[in-house]
Amino acid sequence: MSTLERLEQTIAARAEASPEESYVAKLNVKGLPVIAKKVGEEAVEAVIAAVTGSGEELVSESADLLFHLLVLLQAKGVSLGDVMAELERREGLSGLDEKAARNE
């Protein structure tokens, strides 16, 4: 099992915890718009780190982004497996061809 899969399981378990005991539970109580906003904030921080920061900063912000994205996926009932299956479906396709197919 990969680190992301273990993290997904941890997030699912903590979603049912008390908000006083779990950051994931606290996010879930605040609702989907707050979780989505947090993903956006972390994405912006990752972009800023990529442009102006060090490699270490980018690694840290990327970890935050992946964590919050997994929280968002869990809140929407979408599994990491679903995302991985989509990436596997796209594997070997040209990015330009894949994007053109989405616009048809």
Side-chain angles (χ1 to χ4, degrees):
M1 181 181 297
S2 73
T3 302
L4 285 176
E5 290 168 325
R6 288 191 305 275
L7 181 56
E8 179 183 45
Q9 287 183 346
T10 299
I11 288 167
R14 290 185 182 166
E16 302 302 319
S18 163
E20 291 79 31
E21 298 174 4
S22 167
Y23 176 66
V24 171
K26 186 179 288 191
L27 284 173
N28 280 312
V29 165
K30 290 180 179 180
L32 193 60
V34 170
I35 297 168
K37 181 180 176 192
K38 188 65 180 170
V39 171
E41 290 169 1
E42 296 299 343
V44 168
E45 290 172 7
V47 169
I48 292 168
V51 174
T52 64
S54 67
E56 284 182 3
E57 290 170 314
L58 179 56
V59 167
S60 178
E61 295 301 341
S62 295
D64 291 347
L65 176 57
L66 288 171
F67 171 82
H68 287 91
L69 180 58
L70 286 174
V71 172
L72 179 63
L73 292 172
Q74 187 273 330
K76 287 291 292 181
V78 175
S79 74
L80 179 60
D82 295 335
V83 176
M84 297 307 293
E86 177 62 13
L87 288 172
E88 288 172 12
R89 183 191 69 76
R90 295 179 185 186
E91 191 172 5
L93 293 176
S94 156
L96 296 174
D97 291 342
E98 193 280 328
K99 187 172 181 177
R102 282 189 277 160
N103 293 328
E104 291 177 355

